[in-house]
Amino acid sequence: MFRNRRAQSPAKPRPAGLPQARRESALLATDLQDLSFRRRATPALLAILAVSVTDFFSGQDRYLAPLMVMVPSIAALTLRPAELLLVCSLGFFALLGLSYYDQMDNLQDGRFLFGAILSYVVLTVFSAWLARLRMHRAAAYAAVSSVAEAAQRALLSLPGPSVGPLRLAVRYVSAADAARIGGDLYSVLDTPHGTRVLVGDVRGKGLGAVQTAAVVLGAFREAAYDENGLLAVASRIEASVERHVPDGEFTTALFAEFRRPGAMELLHYGHVPPIRVGPDGTVTVLEAADPWVPLGLGKLASGSPNSVSLPFGPDDVLVLCTDGVIEARHHDSGEFYPLTERVGPLVRDAARSEAELESAVGRIYADLLTHTGGELDDDALLLLISRTDHDRSKIG
């Protein structure tokens, strides 16, 4: 979920690899050009109106028309150069009208010629130049932002709504400004060894967390296809993390494998335990009897982790998340979000269809935002999984 590439020219950025419509959309949103001309011109028009009304009602003994010089500066914030000249022309005629009303329209009077007219014209020209410069810089920023989003999407490589025998519904929020991926990560792959799932949470935030996430995801995408067992997959990732990630950094992770109908295999590496929700809303927290240390800390522990096989029927929903969900605090009391208590009614019967599963993850996310007051302070990931095996058997 990233996009990033430096614009080749501030005036004419050309980010590669993105549709023209998407680049134009990014530019419009960056520079407020997705708003109508009427809305973008409103601040400057209100300034013209305010100066005109104030001068008119203050009487002819007060000459307030020179305050009209604020109009070009305000217009430079939102309007294009041509639009700015149009609006400022209206302000210019208002200035002339007010000067006539205040009997200050004598061209021989330096106060009128230099204090009002000349200053207004100079500021209008200068503001038009600033508007042009603003648009060029906005175009450069939009180019960088658009390619950054493309890079983020390539890194996270979002799966579709179904992968192998699994149906998926996801909500992912990054705490980093303008980023679509942070320290939380996930991947779902249909491999010769079954459909494999990874959910992880990198220690920390920002660019360092994204770099670690890239290492973990890259290693998983290779190992998941090559290795026969989950433990071997996790060992490959552990080795890659030790090789490419600075000492002391770690990633909690949960591995899941779906190889045969009605069952799943889980491997815990210090991550938030998943929750299995039955069709009637029954909640089962799938705690690991002996969870292993997070990825990156394996050399500090002796022995080896153990996976566990558990039932996972066609009407069950598996709820995976990261710390950003269960540690989200209430906006008033500061209490953690009680996912285990809330998830049953929100997810009940969600395994019936793709639409039901998507609605369920939306309900959980909405409830989470209500709990926090509308904002999340940490990366947060919600992943709901159900099986589609029973759909295939019905078709057959």
Side-chain angles (χ1 to χ4, degrees), residues 101-163:
Y101 169 74
D102 292 326
Q103 300 179 357
M104 292 291 293
D105 55 343
N106 185 2
L107 291 177
Q108 302 302 320
D109 191 332
R111 293 176 299 172
F112 173 66
L113 181 61
F114 295 102
I117 300 298
L118 187 58
S119 59
Y120 186 87
V121 171
V122 170
L123 277 174
T124 296
V125 174
F126 180 69
S127 296
W129 177 78
L130 285 180
R132 182 173 181 272
L133 179 62
R134 185 205 76 228
M135 293 189 66
H136 286 176
R137 290 185 176 275
Y141 174 79
V144 172
S145 177
S146 295
V147 183
E149 183 180 338
Q152 291 180 68
R153 291 184 183 279
L155 173 59
L156 198 56
S157 188
L158 299 179
S162 62
V163 178

Side-chain angles (χ1 to χ4, degrees), residues 3 18-29 142 145-146 149 153 180:
R3 288 181 166 167
L18 292 171
Q20 178 67 23
R22 182 64 188 87
R23 298 200 299 267
E24 291 177 355
S25 176
L27 173 58
L28 293 178
S145 177
S146 295
E149 183 180 338
R153 291 184 183 279
R180 296 176 181 265

Side-chain angles (χ1 to χ4, degrees), residues 332-345:
D332 286 332
S333 65
E335 296 178 353
F336 289 137
Y337 179 65
L339 177 64
T340 304
E341 301 172 13
R342 303 278 187 90
V343 71

Side-chain angles (χ1 to χ4, degrees), residues 38-317:
R38 178 173 56 84
R39 295 184 65 181
R40 288 182 289 107
T42 295
L45 294 175
L46 288 177
I48 294 173
L49 179 62
V51 173
S52 300
V53 171
T54 302
D55 182 273
F56 181 80
F57 284 103
S58 63
Q60 294 179 318
D61 56 334
R62 287 183 173 86
Y63 183 46
L64 302 180
L67 292 176
M68 202 68 71
V69 294
M70 74 174 68
V71 173
S73 299
I74 295 174
L77 298 175
T78 58
L79 297 178
R80 301 173 182 174
E83 296 170 342
L84 181 144
L85 294 176
L86 176 63
V87 172
C88 287
S89 296
L90 180 61
F92 181 77
F93 287 116
L95 172 61
L96 292 179
L98 292 174
S99 299
Y100 178 80
Y101 169 74
D102 292 326
Q103 300 179 357
M104 292 291 293
D105 55 343
N106 185 2
L107 291 177
Q108 302 302 320
D109 191 332
R111 293 176 299 172
F112 173 66
L113 181 61
F114 295 102
I117 300 298
L118 187 58
S119 59
Y120 186 87
V121 171
V122 170
L123 277 174
T124 296
V125 174
F126 180 69
S127 296
W129 177 78
L130 285 180
R132 182 173 181 272
L133 179 62
R134 185 205 76 228
M135 293 189 66
H136 286 176
R137 290 185 176 275
Y141 174 79
V144 172
S145 177
S146 295
V147 183
E149 183 180 338
Q152 291 180 68
R153 291 184 183 279
L155 173 59
L156 198 56
S157 188
L158 299 179
S162 62
V163 178
L166 303 183
R167 184 184 292 123
L168 313 173
V170 185
R171 287 294 183 276
Y172 186 106
V173 179
S174 172
D177 293 338
R180 296 176 181 265
I181 180 173
D184 290 358
L185 56 97
Y186 73 99
S187 183
V188 183
L189 301 174
D190 192 22
T191 76
H193 313 288
T195 303
R196 288 172 166 174
V197 178
L198 165 65
V199 172
D201 188 351
V202 179
R203 173 182 176 271
K205 301 178 183 178
L207 183 58
V210 174
Q211 292 172 335
T212 301
V215 171
V216 174
L217 286 171
F220 175 73
R221 288 166 186 159
E222 289 294 322
Y225 286 95
D226 296 340
E227 304 296 341
N228 186 44
L230 275 185
L231 183 56
V233 173
S235 298
R236 283 268 299 270
I237 299 174
E238 177 75 43
S240 184
V241 169
E242 290 182 2
R243 189 179 304 118
H244 300 293
V245 175
D247 290 340
E249 298 297 325
F250 60 85
T251 302
T252 65
L254 176 73
F255 297 90
E257 181 179 277
F258 303 83
R259 187 175 296 201
R260 65 183 189 277
M264 62 182 173
E265 182 180 356
L266 299 179
L267 182 59
H268 293 253
Y269 274 70
H271 195 69
V272 179
I275 298 173
R276 184 180 58 211
V277 180
D280 59 351
T282 302
V283 172
T284 304
V285 180
L286 305 178
E287 297 272 7
D290 185 21
W292 196 243
V293 297
L295 296 169
L297 302 180
K299 58 186 177 183
L300 303 178
S302 59
S304 60
N306 295 311
S307 63
V308 57
S309 294
L310 296 168
F312 184 56
D315 297 321
D316 294 333
V317 175

